[in-house]
Each structure stands twice: as C-alpha cells, then as structure tokens.
Amino acid sequence: MLVRESFARLTTSSLSRPSVLSPTQLLMGLHDEVVVATGQKAVEAVGVYEAMAKPDGTRVFSTPVFDTALKLLAEQEHVSPLMLQTADAYYRRRGGPAGTVIKLLQKLIERKVWEMDDSMVEVFVQSFRTMLPGTLALVKTVPHDALRRMVEMDAQLATAVRGYVSKMPDSARKPYRWLLH
C-alpha cells in the first residue's frame, strides 16, 4: 500500500504541486540497473505499478505508456530481462497488444539478443514462445546458430518452429533441414 501510494504521488499532479515523473518515466526508472539488481523486489515493484489506477479508475500503465517505455528500454545499451518480463505480464494479464511485444522481440533480434547475458536469452526464448504463433515469422530473421540454441532451450518452441518450417516451400525450407531431422 505504501509503495502504491508513493508511486501515485510521484505520477499525479495536484493544485499544489506538479507530478514529479510521468508514468512512462516511472516505469523506465523501475527498469534501471540499480532497481533490477534487487531481483524479485524489482518484479514486485513493476507488479504494483502495473496494477495502479488513476482516480477515475483508468490504468496508469496504459498501452501508450507501455509502448513508449518498452521502445525506449529496448534501445538502451544494457537491456534487462525484466523488460521482457514486464512485456509478457502486460500481454498476459492485461491483454496488451501482441504486436508491441513482437516488435520488441524483433528489435532484440536486430540487436543480436543471443550475444547478451544468458538470463536475457532465456527470457527472450520464453517471450518468443509465449507470443506464438505471432513470432514464427521472425524465425527467418534469426541466424541458424542462434535459432539452434533457442530450440534447444525450449521443447515447445522447437515443436512450433519445426511445424512452421515443415510448411515452408521446399526452397525456403532448405536452410532449416537440420531442424527437421
């Protein structure tokens, strides 16, 4: 309750004072390396924030806030696994737009997520699986070594990717033979 009240005071303006942070700034702050280093406490803080509502009952953690914060977080030099956990939670618990999460995964592929920390790769693979079948089109953008690592990490993802590849035309399927045997 105290944390929720503090978050509300930080992000809400009144006649006597302006807000200190926008909802986007607070969400980004909760993904700062110092906060993320607290482990489960960071996850809990994001959960409290995600559940917050404005006085009129609308969520503080709205789709525009979510979209903006995640885009900015994905562009930072160090990307935290908590960012993808936040995206997954928003998608699963609140019915957030799948397209936003899939675009985020695409951005991480462009940034070569497989070269990041192992914990980031693990959360990326979980998110990739969670967003199936929408992520299957991204398979073609993942280098084969990275894709091999991904399917070795997650049996459900491997099954889905094999099914996707098996339905490709012969010419497109050729580079993925290793996956089908």
Side-chain angles (χ1 to χ4, degrees):
M1 185 65 165
L2 178 63
V3 173
R4 185 173 310 198
E5 189 63 33
S6 297
F7 285 175
R9 286 180 184 261
L10 286 171
T11 59
T12 306
S13 298
S14 67
L15 294 175
S16 61
R17 63 165 177 72
S19 64
V20 176
L21 298 170
S22 71
T24 302
Q25 290 169 323
L26 178 56
L27 183 57
M28 289 187 64
L30 292 174
H31 288 80
D32 186 81
E33 287 183 59
V34 174
V35 177
V36 170
T38 66
Q40 188 59 32
K41 297 221 182 285
V43 174
E44 291 170 11
V46 170
V48 167
Y49 178 73
E50 190 267 334
M52 286 176 56
K54 296 177 185 175
D56 67 2
T58 61
R59 298 279 186 162
V60 171
F61 192 60
S62 63
T63 297
V65 168
F66 167 78
D67 287 349
T68 302
L70 288 178
K71 284 176 188 172
L72 293 170
L73 288 165
E75 293 171 5
Q76 291 183 344
E77 185 177 338
H78 175 75
V79 181
S80 163
L82 180 60
M83 177 195 61
L84 282 175
Q85 292 169 327
T86 301
D88 283 349
Y90 183 73
Y91 171 74
R92 283 185 277 124
R93 287 197 300 242
R94 298 271 303 284
T100 298
V101 181
I102 292 170
K103 286 178 189 172
L104 180 65
L105 295 171
Q106 175 63 42
K107 178 73 173 173
L108 292 172
I109 290 169
E110 292 167 9
R111 291 200 53 197
K112 301 180 181 182
V113 66
W114 50 89
E115 295 177 359
M116 296 180 185
D117 296 339
D118 287 344
S119 61
M120 184 64 192
V121 175
E122 289 171 16
V123 174
F124 175 83
V125 170
Q126 291 168 2
S127 294
F128 203 93
R129 179 180 27 84
T130 298
M131 300 310 298
L132 288 171
T135 51
L136 288 173
L138 298 178
V139 165
K140 296 175 187 174
T141 67
V142 178
H144 295 269
D145 289 343
L147 184 61
R148 184 181 315 266
R149 182 177 175 198
M150 289 171 61
V151 298
E152 287 172 356
M153 293 173 74
D154 190 300
Q156 287 178 312
L157 178 61
T159 300
V161 171
R162 278 188 197 100
Y164 175 72
V165 168
S166 70
K167 293 175 185 169
M168 288 178 171
D170 287 338
S171 59
R173 189 178 332 133
K174 201 174 204 174
Y176 302 97
R177 275 194 217 134
W178 59 270
L179 186 61
L180 299 173
H181 297 289

